[in-house]
Amino acid sequence: MTSASHRAAKGLRQFLDPEQQHGWLEGEYRPPDANERAESIEQRFRYAGRFEKLLRRPQAEDLLAILGLYAAACIPVPRLTERHYWSVSCLPSTSDKPLVRVNASWMELFTFYADGDDLRARFIVHLSDFTADGSCDPEQVDHPLLERCVAAPEDVSCFFPNGADMLGIRVRSAASIRAFLSNAHALRGIRAFNLTHMNRGRNAYQASHSYSVADHMVGEERS
């Protein structure tokens, strides 16, 4: 892709052309990421107190470890696109009381909640990636497939957000969340949805980005 094409492109297309994105989606290509991160010190300190509060939660160790797996597997070039094309908020002040939420463009991608001392997660994906016939018909959701993606069948359920071709998947327990992220079908579905929204342009949630949480996502944990 030429420099002029980079300037004209929107979203993730500025960094990866369609062929590279498809290779990453299929697990056939791992694009090189930036060595350095663009960072706002003011932004880091703005949410430092929330991060310290998060660390006192019993779920913190599992949560941060799984977020590292998520970023490595589900966000292409996470350092290069951090904050501007995806962000993570720490203890956001919304009525559902999440622990963290990952967003791109105007869309929620992935959210963590407390479930007692354990975790539960919510993934937003394309409905058509999880139906038996590849359609956008909610009646065609492949429930046996979803159950095979987790450690225990009772750990998974789904709902239907507003919007075309969208499915919400709820996963209970750190063990089942890890299993979901390591399942080839689930992983491809997560990647496909993330590509769609990272390509829509700048992230609308930049102001709530927590660099302290992101440290654990991009492999730059600080003491």
Side-chain angles (χ1 to χ4, degrees), residues 17 29 33 59 66 69 108 112 116 132 141-142 157 162 179 191 201:
D17 64 31
Y29 172 64
D33 204 355
Q59 306 88 356
I66 295 172
L69 297 176
E108 169 191 345
F112 259 134
V141 170
D142 193 339
S157 62
N162 292 327
R191 286 178 170 181

Side-chain angles (χ1 to χ4, degrees), residues 19-219:
E19 183 178 351
Q20 291 171 322
Q21 290 188 36
H22 181 75
W24 176 81
L25 172 65
E26 300 297 342
E28 299 167 353
Y29 172 64
R30 185 177 182 85
D33 204 355
N35 292 321
E36 302 294 330
R37 297 160 67 195
E39 182 179 336
S40 162
I41 297 300
E42 178 185 358
Q43 179 83 8
R44 175 176 287 277
F45 282 110
R46 181 181 301 165
Y47 295 107
R50 291 192 188 189
F51 181 67
E52 291 303 318
K53 186 176 179 180
L54 179 70
L55 290 180
R56 295 194 289 271
R57 300 289 187 106
Q59 306 88 356
E61 184 176 355
D62 275 338
L63 180 152
L64 293 172
I66 295 172
L67 279 174
L69 297 176
Y70 178 87
C74 304
I75 301 177
V77 289
R79 287 171 171 252
L80 199 58
T81 55
E82 180 182 1
R83 188 181 178 192
H84 299 295
Y85 294 94
W86 68 271
S87 63
V88 59
S89 52
C90 182
L91 300 175
S93 302
T94 54
S95 59
D96 54 338
K97 298 182 179 179
L99 297 175
V100 300
R101 176 170 286 137
V102 180
N103 292 91
S105 184
W106 290 91
M107 180 60 59
E108 169 191 345
L109 304 179
F110 174 57
T111 304
F112 259 134
Y113 300 91
D115 188 15
D117 286 348
D118 206 342
L119 291 164
R120 56 187 173 92
R122 182 168 74 187
F123 299 87
I124 309 297
V125 294
H126 290 303
L127 173 60
S128 56
D129 285 329
F130 291 87
T131 50
D133 59 359
S135 72
C136 295
D137 182 357
E139 297 296 322
Q140 293 296 319
V141 170
D142 193 339
H143 294 284
L145 167 65
L146 289 174
E147 292 173 358
R148 292 194 298 272
C149 292
V150 293
E154 62 271 19
D155 285 347
V156 67
S157 62
C158 62
F159 65 99
F160 303 99
N162 292 327
D165 197 15
M166 287 175 58
L167 176 68
I169 301 175
R170 301 185 185 96
V171 182
R172 292 178 52 196
S173 87
S176 279
I177 297 166
R178 289 177 184 271
F180 194 78
L181 288 170
S182 66
N183 178 274
H185 190 106
L187 180 58
R188 190 188 186 283
I190 295 167
R191 286 178 170 181
F193 189 82
N194 290 4
L195 282 177
T196 294
H197 292 281
M198 290 182 73
N199 275 317
R200 288 192 169 172
R202 288 258 173 167
N203 172 34
Y205 297 91
Q206 296 179 40
S208 63
H209 184 60
S210 169
Y211 281 103
S212 298
V213 176
D215 291 344
H216 293 262
M217 297 178 70
V218 302

